[in-house]
Amino acid sequence: MFSTTSVPASTASRNPRRRQRTGSDDSVAIRQLPKRLKRSGLTTETFKPLADQLANGHLHKDDASPAPNGYHQDTRSQSPAGAENTSLAIRHRSGRRPERERKGNRGGGSVELTKNDTYTVSRLATTPTQLQEQGNSSKWHGDFAPALGYAIATTHTQALIWRYKPGPNATDSSKPIIVQLLHVADSPNDPLPLAVLVPSSPEPGLLVVMPVSGRVSYWESLSSAASVDRGRQQQQAVRGTVTALASGEHIIKITEAEPQGFLLTISSGKIVHLTVADPQGKASIGAEILRSSGSEPGGVLGSLWNVFGGGGWLRDVAAVKVDHSVHKSPRQCVVGTTKGVLQVWDLHWNGAHSLNYELDAKSQLLKSIRDTGTFPRDSDDQYFKVLDLAFLPAVVTGQEVTSSSFRSATRLLVLTVLSTPNTAHYNLHVVSLTRGEIDVPVVHPITCYRTPLASSSHSKPQLLVPEPGQTAYVFFETSMVLVSLEEMEESPDSQLQTEARRIPDPFQDAVDFHKSKGYTVLGCTVDVPEKGCRDSACTVMVRGYGVIRVNVAPVEDGVTSADRTAITAETKLEQAVFYGSHQSLLDLSGRSEVQFTTEEVRDAALRISRSITSSSSKHLSTSGPNMDQHLQKRALALSDLIKHLRKHYQQLDHITRRKLLWEAEKMAAARTLWQVYNDTIPHTLEGEKNLLDELIECISENNKVENRPELHETDHVRHWFINDVWRLEFVVPWAFKALDMLHKESHEDGMPMSSDYHARLISQAYDLQLSSLEAAYNFRQSNASLYGFDPNAMVDGVLIRDHRDQDDLPEPWTASGWVCTVVWQLAEYLENFGREQSPNSSDEEGGGPPSEFLPPLAEKNARLLDVIFKTHNERSQWLQSRHDPETRKQGKEFEGRFRKSRKALLKGLAEMGQLSAAIELGEKYKDMNALADILESEIQVCREELSDLVKSGENSEELRDRVTLCEGYLDEYFDKYGAAWANAFFARFVTSNRIYSLLAYGRKQRHFLTTFLRNRPHCSNFSWINEVSAEGDYDSAASGLRIAQKQADTLWAKKMQMSLSKLATMAADGGQQSGDEKTPFIRTVDGRLEVLASQEQLYEYLLPTLGRALNDTPAKIEVVMEQYGKRFVKAKPALRKAMKLHVARLVEEKALDAEDLVDTFTLMDEDGLEPDGEFAIRRFLTALRLVRLKAMETGEVARKELLERIIWRRCIIQDDWQKINRTEKKDEAQVDKETRSTALFKTLREGFKSGFWDDDPPPGPSTLLGAGTTIESLRTSSRYQDAPDSALALIARDLELEDAALQRCVEEGRLDEWWKGIVDATRSSARNEADRVGAEESERNEAEHDFREKMRREDQAAWGADAGTTNGSERRTGAIGRGIGNMDEEGDVRMEM
């Protein structure tokens, strides 16, 4: 079954039980080689085994604990006594090598790639650069010798060997050993050579197997294999050939079986036992197929039967594992096939072997999967496959009697897969094997990894179970999976969870390699733990990256398996944040199989963010000399956090993203704040205090983490930056508080601080607030899109839209009420400071600071104002986004107060010499009112100073330039801001009552001025001037005047506005309106003018009465009320009150409404009037005329009827009709006189005279009863529709008294019977009066005619007989005729002009 090629005896190792020769050429260990040969850089320490790793359960020890996974670790790797000082045959030529070795060992540390509470992945720094090169297209095969601490990687032509674990000596070399292989593959597509290190003393040997040809090369020492002399290398090699390979077969794996024995797995399923030494210990290659002993044929036919039938021919072997738990022979070997067949073999150190038993475990494995409930319903058996297996460490109790009884059961962990078309279900089965029986007590479904095996994969999944057997490692080609094998302890809680089906999943996690990098697993092994170490670890060789170590921390005492459950969202996020961007191997973005709820991700993200800003994360260091780097690292972690969340958890709500943004901007602000503080330290004079130092000292212990003096923490500023950045909102307000406190304390101590010291503290306060808030707003604006916000919805970091109805949005820390208040106070503090330091100040600190202090402070004040405007704008926006109406109202009020105060701050900034900054801020926030105020004030000041300079003859060019500059701004803003600027600028003219200047300046900006005036009704009293003079628009002028007359309050102004509006309307129509052609507006204006004329008539009538009073309005009112308001309204309080109000407006010459004027006319006492005066005769008719005019304007019939009935009733009850009705002992003349003297008779007669009753005859007395005596009747008029019932009740009560008086007139005075006679009498009187007036008119007309004739005759006599026919005479006569008008009542000729 094998053939060997002998080598000289000097190259063969002797039986270790025999004494080795010394001083012979056969001894490789001491022979000196010729100097002309180059030597490999090897030392004794290079191959020195790890002595501290020998008592670890893998090698010889007192217990019988099995070595997991079937990987061999041999005790013969120990060096014999004195071997540490034994030199190899290949030595260095100089004494400088130790220094080179120390240099090579400097990189022996590891770098953490990821870490959590359960496991750590580290990169070992000892990997050769050839394996780390991603672009290297060479194929590699990797393996480890964990007991020796060596790794080996092979290509088609060479093997690289290096120490991947640090040796016991600091001088151990990490430089790789390169061995050129003796045999080369026939084709580059052939499988790579398989190489393993063989434990030997004093240095390991090297075994290389060519998979296709079966050629075997073995060197007893690496120094022999690494010889650069090709001939010597071949001479020192023991070679052989595995002849059991049939055509098409190749060797796929080497498994260590016993100290110098190996199992070769053939692609067809055969297993070959390969040995490298004969029973006497001489180097020799031997190979034999594993055969089962029994009833197979003997001889040659028997051998053929074993090869082609009984030896596992054409079986797909999944795994071959050897149990190294017992150092002595025989050792147990388990062979598992992909179909679930398990064979248990015994292997002896002399090459003998025997099959103990064979079991088909497929049905039990499938049943165990079904019992878990994870068995896919749509799958069948053809998708089931065993992938790998490993020995489980035995649970040693110390009560085992014999080794054979203890080994009666074999415990395995079997990795299986149940594939479906779209996914794969992996499971780990705990299998217990006894002769002829199998038990599967536990199944661990792998839920974190469901990726199907790729058909193009070059490697199979590998299962490792390091001691103490609590965790299983599964390495796929580009991924690794860790699964906890711990079982839940039985307890009352676990029983309840079991019954409730709430048992927490055991810990498991999957981590992928970055797929774009081409990283693949070349090999892996279980790490040999150091003495006393409870960790379980595996080492993995990754193509294109190097060697990594995966270490699982042991379960701490008191921690149950329930506590160590599945990976949480916080753990995965921490890995991605703190390690994802700092290494290129692991893809820590997470897998789709592991899903977390939105709430879990949200809470985890917020906790991680807070742990970063508070430095409470275990992944962050809290010490270091460079604080800026520390803050930068934390800021980078926050950036990595949001990038990961935005990429993989896009459903994160806006509130969470907002909170994360606030935390990140606090970190950015802290970095800037630290730089500011760091810059102030060198400039702090001795005896002076640093503001930030004092500020942090003053913060309450509830708002910061206190120093721990017992740990020698003395720098509370650095301590704050490490622990309290997340509470930055307490530092910003305290900047002003600390400044004010220090200033007051200096006065209380009787040692007021100097002006320059005070200025420096103010500057520091400004720097603290500015650095914090400016950095925060800048960060927010520049990173808005990173956090999922629209940057266009922000202006300088302040949200301007998309914020409404977000009632759950917390208060922004940059816009809290405290922050807004304090930043404003600091600006006012500087203004007061500047005022105190003025040369005219009498303050004890006065005299003014040096001039170099105030300008920088003024410049910083400009920046602070910018921050103030941002904070207040942001707070206003936030308050108005609340759902609570009261809070929204507060937001609007806050915004209004802020806008009013902003102008004062900007103006104060300009007065501090920062005109350009004030203008810039005004432009930035588009505060047109402030800009207009600043520029006009500056122009005014400059012109005043300019006037003084001109008088004194001094140079004034600078002031002229400033005026020109400001005036340029005025004109520029019309083009830049349009109506917004025009409205603010023109409004200043209106408020200061500079109407002429407004109209004059507006000629340059006619369009803006016209729009401004038309949109402001309160300017209508003068806007018509612009409409007429600038626009020529009489219609708009008339419209403006109509509005103005409504706004006008005084009688004169109202009359003027009405007259002008009438004139403008007529002008717009070309003056063509007359008579019935008048528009409704003209008729309305005429009516209103008549109402005003009636008021003027009343006022003129009252002037004599008013003249008796002092020049005092209340006195005048009392005089009028005393004379005209004593009898009629005496018992009518509501009417008396109304009359007094009307008289007050009348005295003040304010316009009265027609109905108010009606009340005044009709409520006056008849006794106070001149009986035969025109006013007394016509006052009730005038009132009726006013009602009719009002009705023409409003069109309200009910209102008109109610008022007319009230007027007639008051007219009637002015006189004593009961007395008039008693006619006994009265002659006709007396009765006629009494009747004619009544107000009713006079009113009826005047109406008949003017034809007032033609269209609306007077009503009878009885029809007037009940007018306005109830609330309901008053409501019929729109005048009283909005009045409260209480007020109407008082009016109705007074009107009832009027109605009662009328009732007496009707009943006792028999007014209804008198009515017709009175009407006829007044009609006849009016007719007689008309006839008299007509006769007088006829007489005047005749006199005029006679006068014309007389003048004509005189003209004829003067110009001759025919003068009347000449043109000149006609012209003269016509001129005279046209110059003669009508004659008046006295006969005077009125000339028409």
Side-chain angles (χ1 to χ4, degrees), residues 29 41 62 101 187 205 235 252 285 317 407 428 458 477 583 603 695 720 795 855 1025 1032 1109 1196 1230 1337 1340 1355:
D62 294 337
E101 290 174 354
S187 171
Q235 181 183 13
I252 59 177
I285 304 299
V317 176
R407 292 183 58 201
L428 292 174
H458 298 289
E477 186 175 26
Q583 48 82 33
D603 296 341
L695 182 157
W720 183 90
V795 173
I1025 301 176
E1196 297 183 39
Q1230 185 178 357
E1337 183 69 22
R1340 282 197 299 272
D1355 286 343

Side-chain angles (χ1 to χ4, degrees), residues 445-467:
I446 299 177
T447 58
C448 63
Y449 188 86
R450 295 285 177 83
T451 303
L453 296 175
S455 59
S456 60
S457 176
H458 298 289
S459 62
K460 295 181 179 180
Q462 301 180 63
L463 173 64
L464 303 178
V465 185
E467 285 191 350

Side-chain angles (χ1 to χ4, degrees), residues 638-682:
L638 291 173
S639 177
D640 291 340
L641 173 62
I642 190 59
K643 289 177 181 178
H644 180 77
L645 291 171
R646 292 285 296 149
K647 182 176 181 181
H648 301 285
Y649 303 98
Q650 297 182 0
Q651 73 278 14
L652 208 61
D653 62 279
H654 74 98
I655 298 297
T656 302
R657 289 184 280 111
R658 181 77 60 187
K659 291 179 179 179
L660 294 175
L661 175 58
W662 289 341
E663 295 274 310
E665 68 193 26
K666 285 182 182 179
M667 185 58 64
R671 288 191 63 195
T672 308
L673 181 60
W674 168 258
Q675 293 170 1
V676 169
Y677 169 71
N678 196 49
D679 292 340
T680 60
I681 293 177

Side-chain angles (χ1 to χ4, degrees), residues 108-361:
S110 60
V111 178
E112 286 185 354
L113 303 181
T114 186
K115 182 179 181 180
N116 55 38
D117 293 336
T118 305
Y119 65 89
T120 303
V121 181
S122 305
R123 179 183 187 179
L124 304 183
T126 55
T127 309
T129 56
Q130 294 91 325
L131 288 177
Q132 298 180 27
E133 297 174 357
Q134 294 184 18
N136 192 343
S137 59
S138 302
K139 295 181 179 179
W140 294 92
H141 177 272
D143 204 352
F144 294 91
L148 301 173
Y150 277 85
I152 182 170
T154 58
T155 65
H156 281 294
T157 60
Q158 63 183 13
L160 267 69
I161 305 165
W162 72 97
R163 181 182 289 278
Y164 72 93
K165 296 173 67 174
N169 195 314
T171 60
D172 289 342
S173 175
S174 59
K175 183 178 180 180
I177 304 169
I178 301 177
V179 177
Q180 300 297 329
L181 303 183
L182 296 181
H183 306 290
V184 180
D186 296 332
S187 171
N189 296 325
D190 286 350
L192 292 172
L194 305 177
V196 294
L197 295 175
V198 181
S200 180
S201 178
E203 57 177 301
L206 175 63
L207 174 66
V208 180
V209 178
M210 303 302 292
V212 177
S213 64
R215 296 173 182 173
V216 180
S217 302
Y218 171 62
W219 291 271
E220 289 185 277
S221 64
L222 284 179
S223 57
S224 300
S227 175
V228 296
D229 187 337
R230 188 67 171 177
R232 185 168 183 80
Q233 182 193 30
Q234 294 177 356
Q235 181 183 13
Q236 304 244 357
V238 179
R239 288 175 282 183
T241 304
V242 179
T243 58
L245 294 176
S247 176
E249 292 182 338
H250 63 276
I251 302 169
I252 59 177
K253 189 173 184 181
I254 300 179
T255 304
E256 297 182 41
E258 39 90 11
Q260 292 189 335
F262 304 89
L263 294 178
L264 306 181
T265 303
I266 312 300
S267 59
S268 61
K270 292 183 293 185
I271 308 298
V272 175
H273 189 188
L274 177 70
T275 59
V276 295
D278 59 16
Q280 289 75 34
K282 181 180 178 181
S284 176
I285 304 299
E288 185 175 355
I289 297 177
L290 294 188
R291 302 185 182 89
S292 59
S293 60
S295 58
E296 66 272 11
V300 176
L301 293 177
S303 298
L304 293 174
W305 185 89
N306 275 287
V307 173
F308 296 102
W313 180 248
L314 295 179
R315 293 181 301 175
D316 189 359
V317 176
V320 177
K321 297 297 173 69
V322 177
D323 182 7
H324 298 280
S325 61
V326 180
H327 176 62
K328 298 180 180 179
S329 291
R331 288 184 176 172
Q332 195 176 63
C333 171
V334 176
V335 179
T337 69
T338 57
K339 297 297 184 181
V341 176
L342 301 177
Q343 290 183 343
V344 181
W345 297 77
D346 278 341
L347 304 178
H348 298 267
W349 67 273
N350 59 3
H353 55 268
S354 61
L355 177 64
N356 288 341
Y357 52 88
E358 177 178 299
L359 296 172
D360 189 349

Side-chain angles (χ1 to χ4, degrees), residues 527-666:
D527 257 16
V528 178
E530 298 180 1
K531 185 176 181 179
C533 180
R534 298 170 56 197
D535 293 8
S536 63
C538 291
T539 304
V540 188
M541 189 183 304
V542 181
R543 180 182 181 274
Y545 190 79
V547 178
I548 63 173
R549 187 173 187 264
V550 186
N551 178 80
V552 175
V555 179
E556 300 295 337
D557 296 337
V559 179
T560 65
S561 58
D563 298 328
R564 196 172 188 176
T565 55
I567 286 289
T568 64
E570 185 172 358
T571 300
K572 298 304 290 184
L573 286 178
E574 283 181 333
Q575 288 180 286
V577 169
F578 294 105
Y579 298 100
S581 62
H582 305 291
Q583 48 82 33
S584 61
L585 174 64
L586 303 180
D587 181 1
L588 299 175
S589 60
R591 294 186 57 85
S592 60
E593 295 88 347
V594 181
Q595 296 293 330
F596 304 105
T597 65
T598 303
E599 291 74 17
E600 289 175 331
V601 175
R602 176 197 63 201
D603 296 341
L606 293 176
R607 285 194 299 270
I608 292 173
S609 180
R610 179 56 53 83
S611 71
I612 295 172
T613 54
S614 63
S615 296
S616 59
S617 173
K618 57 183 175 295
H619 302 285
L620 291 173
S621 172
T622 58
S623 61
N626 194 315
M627 178 57 65
D628 185 64
Q629 291 182 0
H630 172 76
L631 294 173
Q632 183 179 10
K633 182 178 180 181
R634 291 159 65 189
L636 181 60
L638 291 173
S639 177
D640 291 340
L641 173 62
I642 190 59
K643 289 177 181 178
H644 180 77
L645 291 171
R646 292 285 296 149
K647 182 176 181 181
H648 301 285
Y649 303 98
Q650 297 182 0
Q651 73 278 14
L652 208 61
D653 62 279
H654 74 98
I655 298 297
T656 302
R657 289 184 280 111
R658 181 77 60 187
K659 291 179 179 179
L660 294 175
L661 175 58
W662 289 341
E663 295 274 310
E665 68 193 26
K666 285 182 182 179

